[in-house]
Amino acid sequence: MSEQKLEVFNVLNFLNSGYELEDILNEGNFGTFESGQDCIDYLVAEGYLEGEGGALTAEEISKKYKVADLKELLKENGLKVSGKKQELVERIMPVLNEGSLSGDYELTDKAKEFLAENEWIDLYMFALVAFRFEDYENYVKEAGNGSIQTAHKFCDEILSYALMNNQFLIFIDALSAKAHVYAYDGDYESFLDYDLQRYILGLNPIMLDSQSYAKYDIVNYANIINLKNVTEKLDFGSLKKRFDRIWAKSHIKNITVPKKTCYKILQKAMAGADIEEINFDLREKYFDKKFGI
């Protein structure tokens, strides 16, 4: 039910933001719905959408087209033309309804109330998708609100849990999530600090067993893109000075990649160097002997 709630929120939220329903459904991945049309049918049945749909039913197609017409349409679309009329109707239906999912629908008051009550899901989608939706949903219920402070507390508790249980991959995901919570709130300076720390600790793992290392990206592509975008769009002064400050703040006791090398790699990656090649070199020079299988 939680997964369906997330899907419903996303569709309604995009609609409320001015996107076309057809575009949303064509891009969507509906885990609990077999198709975009099933999603629409559910939203209408539950009272979230009102209006008329654009998709033709089998009965409407059967009344509108003769057998000869159906066969001609099937032939034009490279489809099999043999069979009874009902078979022809079912075969041509996806073609006739292609691009007709949207219809003329509007959000109901119930949909708007649902969006307002579950506004925290937007923050989850922006910053916390590395973690199970149901876990965060329960956390919000217990906290009594879905505020920025609640999201930060959620991340902090995961960071503490990961440290105590030597789960570095979870720890690094929580660092990135916390950075994105700051970005969602418009605090890009704190976002930069936490994403820099995520980069630094990515090259100097606090703990990393051989099983985790086997699926570990030392330099994370998304992390580099985030750092590049925020430093290009916003002027926060010297990146080197900030890097030095965050390095000191990270209290690295067991260095894997030296500080100067870390910064040189950061510059290289942000300048567009191939991340896979960087990771290959890092594994060969610094990581395989220390963390490899």
Side-chain angles (χ1 to χ4, degrees), residues 111-123:
K112 293 173 183 176
E113 289 174 8
F114 173 82
L115 289 174
E117 290 172 0
N118 297 283
E119 190 176 5
W120 57 269
I121 296 179
D122 191 51
L123 172 56

Side-chain angles (χ1 to χ4, degrees), residues 2 14 28 54 67 112 122 132 152 177 190 198 235 252 283:
S2 290
F14 277 121
V67 170
K112 293 173 183 176
D122 191 51
R132 288 199 330 149
H152 278 306
S190 295
R198 189 254 180 268
D235 183 12
I252 301 170
R283 284 178 181 275

Side-chain angles (χ1 to χ4, degrees), residues 44-292:
V44 172
E46 291 297 314
Y48 292 118
L49 292 180
E50 58 185 7
E52 296 184 359
L56 293 169
T57 65
E59 184 179 358
E60 288 170 337
I61 293 172
S62 184
K63 288 180 180 179
K64 185 175 181 179
Y65 296 98
K66 296 179 181 179
V67 170
D69 298 326
L70 292 170
K71 288 186 175 182
E72 184 63 29
L73 286 169
L74 289 165
K75 185 177 179 181
E76 289 174 2
N77 286 277
L79 298 172
K80 185 179 176 182
V81 298
S82 61
K84 297 180 180 179
K85 185 174 185 180
Q86 187 59 33
E87 294 174 310
L88 304 182
V89 168
E90 291 175 0
R91 202 175 298 146
I92 199 63
M93 187 184 297
V95 176
L96 294 177
N97 283 330
E98 185 177 359
S100 300
L101 283 173
S102 59
D104 184 20
Y105 292 111
E106 291 183 357
L107 267 67
T108 62
D109 289 340
K110 180 180 178 180
K112 293 173 183 176
E113 289 174 8
F114 173 82
L115 289 174
E117 290 172 0
N118 297 283
E119 190 176 5
W120 57 269
I121 296 179
D122 191 51
L123 172 56
Y124 170 83
M125 290 299 298
F126 184 87
L128 302 166
V129 288
F131 307 106
R132 288 199 330 149
F133 175 73
E134 188 174 355
D135 290 341
Y136 190 62
E137 180 182 27
N138 291 333
Y139 194 87
V140 168
K141 286 179 181 177
E142 290 179 8
N145 66 75
S147 66
I148 294 294
Q149 290 74 21
T150 297
H152 278 306
K153 189 177 178 183
F154 178 78
C155 292
D156 289 339
E157 290 185 13
I158 292 176
L159 288 168
S160 296
Y161 169 86
L163 281 175
M164 287 189 295
N165 291 276
N166 294 325
Q167 295 183 337
F168 182 69
L169 297 185
I170 294 176
F171 178 82
I172 213 81
D173 280 345
L175 266 184
S176 181
K178 192 167 177 67
H180 281 77
V181 173
Y182 277 115
Y184 186 87
D185 197 34
D187 185 353
Y188 289 100
E189 191 153 0
S190 295
F191 167 79
L192 180 56
D193 285 351
Y194 273 91
D195 237 26
L196 264 178
Q197 188 173 38
R198 189 254 180 268
Y199 168 79
I200 290 169
L201 293 178
L203 274 71
N204 294 276
I206 299 168
M207 77 294 285
L208 193 65
D209 58 42
S210 59
Q211 185 177 1
S212 298
Y213 176 59
K215 54 184 178 181
Y216 180 58
D217 287 330
I218 301 165
V219 176
N220 179 269
Y221 179 77
N223 180 223
I224 294 299
I225 294 300
N226 289 336
L227 291 170
K228 181 181 178 185
N229 286 341
V230 76
T231 52
E232 284 181 349
K233 293 177 181 178
L234 301 169
D235 183 12
F236 288 128
S238 170
L239 180 62
K240 179 62 167 63
K241 288 182 179 180
R242 185 178 292 268
F243 179 90
D244 290 343
R245 176 170 61 80
I246 298 302
W247 178 281
K249 180 183 176 181
S250 298
H251 303 295
I252 301 170
K253 296 178 180 178
N254 190 4
I255 293 174
T256 303
V257 182
K259 178 181 174 182
K260 287 185 179 180
T261 304
C262 277
Y263 188 70
K264 287 180 180 178
I265 292 170
L266 176 61
Q267 289 180 303
K268 187 177 178 182
M270 288 174 64
D274 189 292
I275 302 297
E276 287 188 14
E277 288 184 10
I278 290 175
N279 280 329
F280 179 85
D281 292 341
L282 285 170
R283 284 178 181 275
E284 196 172 56
K285 188 171 183 179
Y286 297 103
F287 278 76
D288 282 344
K289 288 183 179 179
K290 188 171 183 178
F291 301 107

Side-chain angles (χ1 to χ4, degrees), residues 2-21 23-25 27-33 39 42-43 48-49 107 111 114-116 118-127 129 133 184:
S2 290
E3 183 183 352
Q4 189 174 80
K5 181 178 181 179
L6 177 60
E7 293 163 356
V8 168
F9 178 88
N10 285 334
V11 172
L12 295 179
N13 195 36
F14 277 121
L15 275 173
N16 199 43
S17 299
Y19 289 86
E20 294 293 331
L21 180 56
D23 293 336
I24 298 167
L25 296 177
E27 291 294 326
N29 180 19
F30 306 98
T32 60
F33 299 105
C39 179
Y42 175 84
L43 294 175
Y48 292 118
L49 292 180
L107 267 67
F114 173 82
L115 289 174
N118 297 283
E119 190 176 5
W120 57 269
I121 296 179
D122 191 51
L123 172 56
Y124 170 83
M125 290 299 298
F126 184 87
V129 288
F133 175 73
Y184 186 87

